[in-house]
Each structure stands twice: as structure tokens, then as C-alpha cells.
Amino acid sequence: MNILVCISHVPDTTSKINFTDGDAKFDSNGVQFVINPNDEFGLTRAMFFKEKQGATVTVVNVGGAETEPTLRKALAIGADSAIRVNAEATDGFFVAKQLAEVVKNGNYDLVIAGKESLDYNGGMVPGLLASFTGANFVNGCVSLEVEETNATAIREIDGGTETLTTSLPLIVGGQKGLVGESDLRIPNMRGIMMARKKPLTVVEAVAGEAQTKAVHFSKPIEKGACKVVAADNLDELISLLHNEAKVI
Amino acid sequence: MSVLIFAESNNGKFNKATLEIASYAKEVANMLGATVTAVAINANDTASISQYGVDKVLNVNNTSLEKFNAKAYASVVQQAVDKEEAKVIIFSSATDSKYIAALAAGNLSAGYVSNVVALPESTSPFTVKRTVFSNKAFSNTEISSDVKIIALAKNAFGLKENSVSTTEEAFEPTVNDADFATKVTAVDKATGVVTIADAEIVVSAGRGLKGPENWGMIEELASVLGAATACSKPVSDLGWRPHGEHVGQTGKPVAANLYIAIGISGAIQHLAGVSASKVKVVINTDAEAPFFNAADYGVVGDAFEVVPALIEKLKAFKAKNA
Ligand SMILES: Cc1cc2nc3c(=O)[nH]c(=O)nc-3n(C[C@H](O)[C@H](O)[C@H](O)COP(=O)(O)OP(=O)(O)OC[C@H]3O[C@@H](n4cnc5c(N)ncnc54)[C@H](O)[C@@H]3O)c2cc1C
Ligand SMILES: Nc1ncnc2c1ncn2[C@@H]1O[C@H](COP(=O)(O)O)[C@@H](O)[C@H]1O
């Protein structure tokens, strides 16, 4: 099985989010970047396929040279090779066009992306990619088994789960559940050494226009201080929720 | 010209998120001088939607579409867009709606913006405000394509009644066999409980509750409020509560009108997933717990005393205001 794992390079959740250029650009100063958590679950699932069923695992990112440490980390976790499409990830549409080209050239049977990324939270790249490639598609996937060309997946629905059968080629928008949290792997020294020798290919972007553009960023207005109500005055809390907040 | 909404339904009835996007679409249509058309699959619930400004419903009645199928549904939306020559398509943030929105965007070469929280700032250029960075910021995003797709964040707009007389039209899109390569074989869904996705109020509890045997009062509080129950990550990791209840960065997002956090410290990863909720209440013994910085209202106190007292007072309040 030939697997492609899409890796988005995102600020760690604990990062402070700031903007520059008159609030037109994200300020990456002092921000620590990580593999998007949903992608890390997907990558680990790919490792299981590799170890148990024999698969080749390629990781891909659409981004500038600054994302290479994130790809190297994925190689250190165990991916066989990496591809970086050298372009700024302007919007989900553009990214998915680039990924579609990578998929076409690489003959992948299974593409694992994340349900959504932690930065722009678009939740759109896997679906767009499925549309561009015509492959089968399971979103919000929390369990995936592949047997030859048949796949069984479980996805999260509002209020429960749904089991699906489908077939390769398949695109998955994955999340926690693909593997458990305790299955995630921290790269060890050997992995890090090996990652240095693994191929990281840089390819140029194909033509494709972004359809959306962030013109301005802002932060939520500072919320007023928390109104603290005494534990023996819960009538006050109910009155505030009813009359002031109007939520009950 | 019409603004098209995908009207998601459960067992033939439109869900609240659908009524919310109908309300929103009506105002977008007013801005554009257009009408609102809804495309509905196996739902015959026009009466509910006509209260929220939908001018026309395209009713698809097709037994092969009884079970959700993302590709087939996306194709139905695409055919409705073509038929109506719609330029703006609106989806809710319900799970199935978001699943097909991205597929439809690809099929239609449409610019797509999700997590939209307000009416368009302008319609030419078409600019909408959305949340980014796990609700830590907003982005005003311009959509430049001819056909535009947006997904409205849950509870971002609310319901606005706007009674109109709705025309119903039977719609028979072509259904492609190839779309059924992916098939639903089983559905496991709790019935009779409010889901986190649908809930306007969520009652959530953390490790401060000490053990699973203490959740009776949490469930009771939720039932008095008609709320869904949720929990922090360690609580589901410890097996005190099912995984589906875990909210936060690695769990489900909560965008409720009211989020009540009981015995939850307010770690950044927890807050990342619940900060889209409008009003937050914290109940915690520790006045220094970080949740107090994120909450609107707080009670410093022992959950084992505060929650039972709150239940009694709310029951009395509900009885009086019923
Ligand atoms: C990568 C990563 C992702 C994570 N994702 C999530 C996530 O999605 N969701 C999530 O929730 N966490 C997440 N976490 C964990 C998070 O950092 C916290 O550890 C967790 O939220 C703490 O849960 P808690 O508040 O229930 O427990 P604690 O931190 O143990 O807090 C318990 C609170 O209860 C209070 N308390 C004790 N007794 C009482 C009483 N009798 N009455 C009232 N209050 C009482 C205490 O004062 C304390 O504030 C993540 C962590 C990491 C590293
Ligand atoms: N620039 C990128 N390069 C590679 N994969 C990406 C990129 N952006 C998004 N993805 C993939 O698409 C998923 C969903 O991203 P998004 O649609 O941005 O929320 C991510 O979890 C990644 O798997």
C-alpha cells in the first residue's frame, strides 16, 4: 500500500497569536510550530499500516522552507520520504490543488489528512482534494482498517458514530481515534539520525489560484472581568443568567 | 438570483442549525436583492423552514438517498446550484453539512470559507468574518470566485423569525451509482439525549468531581436545563465518561449559548475548544483556577454543595417561568 500523509505545520495551541503588517499577516515571531495534531494521529496510523501490513509512507506539506523541520520530524517518527511543494499555502483551495497534483504523480492508494488544521481550522482541504481527485472520501474518521483494496472506516457524526465500507483509492480526514493518544510516538535518537538521510524532495507548485484571501485579522475584544457570585447566593447567579446574559 | 442553503434534516425534520442558516441566508439575500432557496433531501418539513424566510424549497425524495452519502449529497447540492444559478451557497456547521461543503466547493470550483460568525461585511468584494486559530482570532476573508460557499459557525447568528409563503418544488437530481462506493453499514447514535452538537446549553465537569459515581448531579443539572453533558479530557481518559463527551482542543468543539464548567481548571487546551461559547460559568473551589479568567460568571465553592443547591433553585425558577 502506498500511503500519503498530509502534514500541516501549525502553531502549538499554547502559542500567543499576534499579527503584523497592520493586522494583515500572522506574526510567527517566537511561535513554536508542530505537526498539526490531527495529522499526527494520521501519521501514526500510517506507521501501523507500514509495520503490520507493509506500506510505504510519504509525507507532504505545501509550504515554504520553514516547514522542513516539521517534515523532518515526521520522517523521524518513521515516514519513508517527504515532499514539500514550494509555495505559500495561501488558501485551502490552492493547497488542495497542489496536493491533487502530488497524488496524481505518486499513485497513492490511501491519503490521510487531518479533519481540520489548528491554524485556519478550515476543515476543507481533505474534501477539496477528494473532489479534485475523485477518490472515495471519509471525513471525521476515528477508525480505519484496510484489507487489500477494501476499507472499513468509522466516522464521528453528531451524537454518535457511523460505520462505512469503501474502497481504495481513499482520502481520509482523520482525527484522534485513528490511533489513541498513548500510541503517538516521540522521535528517538535513531529516528532523528535516520531522518537526516531520508529523501525530502522539493517540487515547484503547479498553476492554481487561491479563491479566498485573508484581508484583515483581529482578536476578540477583551472580555470583562468574571462576575463572582457567592456560593450561598445562587439566586443572584440565576438572575444574572436570566436577566443579563439572557441564556436561561 | 437565489442564495442556496443546504437544509440538513434528521428523520425528515430540519435541525436547528438549518433554521439558523435559513435566518442568516434571508439577510444575505436581502443584501444581494435575492431570494432564498433551500435544497432538502427526504425531508418534508416546509412549514418549519417557511418561518425563517425561505422562499422556495427544492424537495428531493429519493429512497437511494435515505442514508447519508457525502458524494451523492454534494452532487445534489451541485445540481441545485446549477438549476438555481445560485452564486452564494450556505451550509451549517453540523458534521454532515461540513463534510459535503468541501466536496461541493471542489466540484463547483467555489471559494469556501468555514466558521463564519457574522453577516458579510460587504458583498462586493464579498468579505466575511470567520474565526481562526481555535477561536483566538478572527479573519476577514474575501472570496473572489464567482460561486461562493460559506459554512456558518454554530449559534453564531441565532434564529430570526421571518414568516414567508414558501413555494415547494419537487427536484429530481441524477444520482450516480459510483457515489455509492462508500456505504454506511451501521449507525450508532444515542437517542433521546441532547447532543453536544445540537445543545444550546452544555453542562461540563472535570476531575474536580472525584469519580464517575458523582455524575448523577451533573446529569440532573443538565436535564433541568435541557442541556447536553460534557467533560474534560482526563475524565474521559480515566474512563469516567464516554469519549464522545470529551470537549476541548483534542475533543469536540463547543459553541453553546451557555457553557457551565464544574470542577474544571481551565487549561488552555480545554478553553481552546469551548471559547466559542457565548456565556461561560465556572464553579470551582479554587478562586485562582484559570477558568475564572475565561468565564463571565463564577462561583467559588464546592461542587458537591453548589450543584445540588443550584438544581433546586433552577427547578423553582423553571416552575415559576414555565
Ligand atoms: C496536547 C494536549 C491536548 C489536550 N487537549 C485537551 C482537551 O481537548 N480537553 C481538555 O479538557 N483537556 C485537554 N488537555 C489537558 C489539559 O491540559 C488539562 O490537563 C485538563 O483540561 C485538566 O482537566 P480538569 O480541569 O478536569 O482537571 P484538573 O486540572 O485536575 O482540575 C480540576 C479542578 O477541579 C477543581 N476542584 C477540585 N475539587 C473541587 C470541588 N469539590 N468542587 C469544585 N471544584 C473542584 C480544582 O480546583 C481544579 O481547578 C490537553 C493537554 C495536552 C497537552
Ligand atoms: N499546507 C498544507 N500542506 C499539507 N497538508 C495540508 C496543508 N494545509 C492543510 N493540510 C491538510 O489538510 C488538513 C485540513 O486542513 P484545513 O482544511 O486547513 O483545516 C490538515 O490536517 C492537513 O492534513
Side-chain angles (χ1 to χ4, degrees):
Chain A
M1 188 165 36
N2 202 2
I3 306 177
L4 182 72
V5 182
C6 303
I7 303 279
S8 165
H9 159 92
V10 300
D12 178 77
T13 1
T14 54
S15 309
K16 292 260 178 294
I17 301 299
N18 290 305
F19 302 99
T20 63
D21 285 7
D23 286 337
K25 249 185 103 184
F26 174 63
D27 183 0
S28 58
N29 238 319
V31 171
Q32 186 177 352
F33 284 87
V34 296
I35 299 177
N36 184 43
N38 286 328
D39 302 346
E40 203 176 337
F41 291 111
L43 175 63
T44 312
R45 186 71 193 100
M47 288 300 108
F48 284 6
F49 283 128
K50 177 177 162 170
E51 288 153 13
K52 301 223 172 77
Q53 290 170 243
T56 328
V57 179
T58 305
V59 289
V60 61
N61 172 264
V62 180
E66 72 282 0
T67 73
E68 287 193 5
T70 300
L71 285 174
R72 287 277 174 214
K73 183 174 172 200
L75 292 172
I77 288 172
D80 300 296
S81 62
I83 299 170
R84 179 171 68 82
V85 179
N86 185 31
E88 193 189 337
T90 39
D91 82 337
F93 198 92
F94 174 81
V95 168
K97 278 276 182 221
Q98 302 307 321
L99 293 173
E101 184 69 15
V102 171
V103 171
K104 194 178 85 190
N105 295 334
N107 268 318
Y108 298 99
D109 307 298
L110 174 64
V111 180
I112 307 181
K115 184 186 98 167
E116 74 168 25
S117 62
L118 216 67
D119 50 0
Y120 294 99
N121 311 111
M124 56 207 293
V125 167
L128 289 167
L129 182 58
S131 164
F132 296 155
T133 58
N136 290 322
F137 173 44
V138 176
N139 202 25
C141 186
V142 292
S143 162
L144 177 67
E145 298 297 339
V146 178
E147 212 53 72
E148 310 209 329
T149 59
N150 296 317
T152 307
I154 300 178
R155 74 168 179 114
E156 226 169 43
I157 57 173
D158 292 332
T161 57
E162 192 176 86
T163 308
L164 304 129
T165 55
T166 184
S167 58
L168 305 180
L170 172 67
I171 293 177
V172 162
Q175 57 183 342
K176 187 174 114 179
L178 275 180
V179 299
E181 216 147 335
S182 53
D183 297 317
L184 296 179
R185 301 170 182 193
I186 297 162
N188 58 22
M189 208 51 202
R190 185 158 166 272
I192 295 168
M193 297 300 289
M194 281 174 52
R196 290 197 192 142
K197 299 199 200 87
K198 289 179 179 170
L200 191 164
T201 317
V202 178
V203 300
E204 290 310 317
V206 292
E209 290 273 315
Q211 308 279 24
T212 66
K213 178 166 170 269
V215 282
H216 181 80
F217 292 100
S218 56
K219 292 213 262 184
I221 0 170
E222 289 283 321
K223 176 192 78 57
C226 178
K227 286 192 183 164
V228 177
V229 175
D232 58 4
N233 192 11
L234 295 174
D235 289 323
E236 170 73 5
L237 179 67
I238 291 172
S239 151
L240 286 167
L241 293 177
H242 181 62
N243 298 314
E244 187 178 86
K246 299 191 172 28
V247 285
I248 59 169
Chain B
M1 192 187 44
S2 63
V3 170
L4 188 85
I5 66 168
F6 170 67
E8 186 178 321
S9 56
N10 309 108
N11 302 321
K13 298 279 166 241
F14 294 126
N15 53 25
K16 193 191 142 223
T18 295
L19 305 180
E20 186 177 15
I21 56 167
S23 312
Y24 178 87
K26 181 66 180 176
E27 294 204 18
V28 176
N30 287 345
M31 292 171 81
L32 292 165
T35 56
V36 180
T37 299
V39 56
I41 299 175
N42 294 329
N44 288 304
D45 190 19
T46 305
S48 80
I49 212 169
S50 70
Q51 287 174 272
Y52 296 94
V54 172
D55 299 289
K56 179 157 99 180
V57 181
L58 298 178
N59 276 322
V60 180
N61 285 303
N62 187 327
T63 47
S64 69
L65 298 173
E66 245 152 39
K67 282 186 184 146
F68 177 77
N69 180 299
K71 277 199 174 184
Y73 279 36
S75 152
V76 168
V77 171
Q78 187 187 347
Q79 293 173 60
V81 170
D82 291 344
K83 174 175 153 53
E84 293 291 298
E85 294 178 10
K87 298 293 179 202
V88 178
I89 302 122
I90 300 171
F91 288 87
S92 80
S93 287
T95 302
D96 291 352
S97 289
K98 276 188 95 171
Y99 189 173
I100 61 179
L103 280 171
N107 297 350
L108 290 157
S109 280
Y112 168 39
V113 177
S114 54
N115 302 325
V116 170
V117 290
L119 284 171
E121 211 123 298
S122 72
T123 53
S124 175
F126 197 91
T127 312
V128 287
K129 185 176 184 177
R130 57 167 309 208
T131 59
V132 288
F133 297 103
S134 308
N135 299 309
K136 286 192 225 169
F138 299 107
S139 160
N140 289 23
T141 303
E142 190 180 308
I143 311 180
S144 49
S145 52
D146 179 37
V147 177
K148 301 163 180 72
I149 298 191
I150 59 186
L152 184 68
K154 204 191 110 195
N155 278 334
F157 190 74
L159 300 183
K160 298 230 165 38
E161 287 214 25
N162 204 330
S163 239
V164 293
S165 64
T166 308
T167 343
E168 287 189 66
E169 201 176 304
F171 178 45
E172 290 172 11
T174 14
V175 175
N176 185 349
D177 284 347
D179 292 343
F180 294 88
T182 304
K183 268 197 276 307
V184 175
T185 56
V187 177
D188 179 6
K189 193 170 169 173
T191 51
V193 298
V194 187
T195 64
I196 294 171
D198 280 339
E200 286 182 34
I201 303 181
V202 173
V203 174
S204 186
R207 201 148 52 182
L209 268 272
K210 316 278 189 272
E213 67 281 6
N214 298 323
W215 249 262
M217 62 180 186
I218 301 301
E219 282 171 350
E220 190 177 357
L221 178 59
S223 121
V224 173
L225 289 167
T229 52
C231 68
S232 68
K233 179 166 147 353
V235 165
S236 68
D237 288 348
L238 289 162
W240 297 357
R241 297 297 291 176
H243 269 288
E245 278 199 5
H246 152 206
V247 298
Q249 179 207 311
T250 48
K252 285 205 171 62
V254 182
N257 284 332
L258 173 61
Y259 182 74
I260 304 181
I262 302 162
I264 296 177
S265 58
I268 191 155
Q269 298 88 357
H270 184 85
L271 296 175
V274 305
S275 58
S277 298
K278 290 214 183 77
V279 175
K280 285 167 272 252
V281 173
V282 53
I283 299 171
N284 199 305
T285 40
D286 176 9
E288 303 293 316
F291 214 119
F292 283 95
N293 298 324
D296 304 277
Y297 304 102
V299 180
V300 181
D302 185 341
F304 296 96
E305 287 160 20
V306 174
V307 174
L310 189 59
I311 290 169
E312 290 317 309
K313 295 208 181 279
L314 278 169
K315 278 186 182 161
F317 167 82
K318 291 274 170 186
K320 205 172 78 202
N321 288 275

